[in-house]
Amino acid sequence: MFAQPLSDWLQRRGLHFSWVIVALTFLTALSSSAALGLPGALLQPLSKEFGWDVEQISSALALRFALFGLMGPFAAILMERFGVRNVVVTALTLVAAGMALATQMTQFWQLVLFWGVMLGVGSGLTALVLSAVVSNRWFDSHRGLVVGLLTASSATGQLIFLPVGAWLVQHFGWRLAVLPVLSACALVAVAVLLLMRNRPADVGLTPFGAAPGTPLATGAPAMRITFATPFKVLAEAAQQRVFWVLAGTFFICGLSTNGLIQTHFISLCGDAGLGPVPAASVLAMMGAFDLVGTIASGWLSDRYDNRKLLFMYYGLRGLSLLWLPYSAFTLYGLSVFAMFYGLDWIATVPPTVRLTAATFGKEKAGMVFGWIFAAHQLGAAVAAYGAGRVRTLLLTYDPALFAAGAACLTAAAMVWIIRKPAAASAAAPGQAKAA
């Protein structure tokens, strides 16, 4: 009802409706990532109120990360069968419901259900696979830049919501801190329902950057997709070494970001005597740097060897994590960490998407990347639980930080196993396919 008139209005002013789709996808990822990140600010309040230790709470949050990743390979199928709009609205509703119901919980199994299962499944449906689908369907050029922009939305969600959430926890309790994220999910769901469309042809357009005269896409998938298709694609991809390198490095990516820092950073700072609001502000600073770094990474991935980019990103992250325990958690020390770590928090995504597409082709790239992203979130789950376990047993996070730093340096070395893709090297700058 609203999409077609808006598309026509934009078209008359020389603007493509694809940028509205990008904005909606950005807001979707922003609100769902805020929902994923907020529980990290609530570890200590939940522990104090219910008597659950960090290891217990971390196990529920680890389940959230695992489901978040495992939904990826199947999200593309659901989008093909039921449409992007319906899947996104359902996902945001599920996330909002999980956040709301958690405010009434009294038992640990409820935490597992609301913030483990519901939040994990809902956010998994709007994960990076949605960004890959949108960039692939709506853009014929600048895909790397679009993937970088959409990936950066998770940093923006952290930037906006975490300091606010930490302040609300400190002054009004953790239940009220859930309200901003819940409201954002509900508002974005309404906007998606009114404006989101599945393909450019739905509003009479071709993808942005398509050559003049390009026929409208029919919407039919290039291959017959069933719920067995992801497993068939996985079996084929697993025969190539590149898949295992990308999945392995992305496992380390999730282990060293979402699972460790996003989940435990505020608790880690609390051990060093830093309050939740200053700690959340440092996370927000990381988010600000990551917003710049990830968008720049998308631009760079369209133009330079993606293996070199991944080498720099993982190497810089590893050195940052190894240095963190020696930062003394001062304003200066944490600011330096936030800058160097934040610049490549999720900057690894655009090069990984590009290498996946160059190796496995446009037709299967989204589904293969779904499995690679599942490895990312399994790594996050391992770190979310493992770091909590280390903290419970040793009363310090230092071993977890050292292990994650060493793993990142290993990932930096692993990327050189990948041969330079011919498609990537031959593509014209700004025109290479990202997914």
Side-chain angles (χ1 to χ4, degrees):
M1 182 181 301
F2 297 99
Q4 189 65 58
L6 178 58
S7 177
D8 295 339
W9 184 84
L10 292 172
Q11 194 74 6
R12 289 193 297 270
R13 286 156 179 80
L15 299 173
H16 199 280
F17 190 71
S18 58
W19 297 108
V20 174
I21 302 300
V22 168
L24 291 171
T25 307
F26 186 96
L27 291 173
T28 297
L30 181 150
S31 54
S32 61
S33 70
L36 275 178
L38 182 62
L42 307 180
L43 285 176
Q44 294 182 353
L46 290 175
S47 180
K48 290 179 181 177
E49 177 169 338
F50 297 106
W52 306 327
D53 59 34
V54 173
E55 180 184 350
Q56 280 183 291
I57 301 171
S58 297
S59 66
L61 303 187
L63 176 62
R64 165 198 63 171
F65 282 129
L67 291 175
F68 178 54
L70 292 173
M71 286 301 299
F74 304 95
I77 297 176
L78 295 173
M79 291 175 192
E80 285 286 354
R81 288 201 169 191
F82 303 107
V84 173
R85 179 178 62 175
N86 293 335
V87 170
V88 171
V89 170
T90 300
L92 289 172
T93 302
L94 194 59
V95 170
M99 297 298 289
L101 290 171
T103 62
Q104 305 303 314
M105 65 184 175
T106 57
Q107 303 293 323
F108 179 71
W109 68 266
Q110 295 169 331
L111 176 68
V112 174
L113 175 62
F114 300 147
W115 282 0
V117 177
M118 294 178 67
L119 191 54
V121 172
S123 58
L125 291 174
T126 59
L128 294 178
V129 174
L130 173 61
S131 300
V133 168
V134 167
S135 65
N136 191 47
R137 289 185 181 182
W138 286 85
F139 290 84
D140 265 9
S141 64
H142 307 299
R143 286 179 175 167
L145 177 62
V146 171
V147 171
L149 179 64
L150 295 179
T151 303
S153 61
S154 61
T156 307
Q158 182 175 286
L159 173 68
I160 294 174
F161 289 100
L162 263 185
V164 175
W167 184 85
L168 289 172
V169 168
Q170 193 172 43
H171 291 85
F172 301 101
W174 68 268
R175 288 176 174 81
L176 192 60
V178 170
L179 185 59
V181 175
L182 193 161
S183 302
C185 289
L187 291 173
V188 174
V190 173
V192 169
L193 184 64
L194 295 177
L195 296 175
M196 178 70 81
R197 289 298 177 266
N198 297 320
R199 300 175 186 273
D202 294 346
V203 287
L205 298 174
T206 57
F208 180 84
T214 301
L216 298 181
T218 62
M223 60 180 178
R224 184 173 179 270
I225 295 179
T226 67
F227 281 97
T229 303
F231 298 103
K232 295 178 181 177
V233 171
L234 174 62
E236 294 176 9
Q239 298 176 21
Q240 298 197 42
R241 181 174 55 183
V242 174
F243 172 81
W244 292 108
V245 175
L246 292 177
T249 54
F250 232 40
F251 178 94
I252 293 171
C253 181
L255 179 146
S256 57
T257 53
N258 303 68
L260 179 60
I261 297 299
Q262 186 183 61
T263 302
H264 293 283
F265 186 76
I266 292 178
S267 179
L268 166 67
C269 290
D271 289 347
L274 196 66
V277 174
S281 299
V282 174
L283 277 174
M285 190 186 305
M286 293 181 205
F289 282 111
D290 182 67
L291 180 64
V292 175
T294 305
I295 294 174
S297 176
W299 184 86
L300 291 169
S301 70
D302 281 334
R303 290 160 173 80
Y304 298 102
D305 188 339
N306 290 272
R307 301 170 305 158
K308 294 179 181 178
L309 296 178
L310 289 177
F311 173 78
M312 290 188 295
Y313 298 156
Y314 283 119
L316 180 61
R317 185 187 303 170
L319 294 175
S320 299
L321 288 169
L322 292 174
W323 181 79
L324 179 58
Y326 303 101
S327 68
F329 291 87
T330 61
L331 177 61
Y332 171 77
L334 289 177
S335 297
V336 171
F337 172 75
M339 179 176 65
F340 285 100
Y341 180 88
L343 280 171
D344 67 290
W345 179 305
I346 320 179
T348 54
V349 175
T352 301
V353 171
R354 285 291 311 277
L355 288 169
T356 302
T359 303
F360 300 98
K362 175 181 175 181
E363 180 180 308
K364 298 178 181 178
M367 211 165 290
V368 174
F369 180 71
W371 285 112
I372 293 172
F373 180 68
H376 181 281
Q377 293 308 114
L378 289 176
V382 168
Y385 175 75
R389 177 71 170 168
V390 167
R391 169 64 177 77
T392 299
L393 293 177
L394 304 178
L395 302 180
T396 177
Y397 282 106
D398 285 359
L401 294 172
F402 291 139
C408 288
L409 296 180
T410 302
M414 287 171 60
V415 299
W416 295 114
I417 298 175
I418 303 173
R419 294 181 180 178
K420 188 174 183 179
S425 59
Q431 302 297 321
K433 307 301 185 203

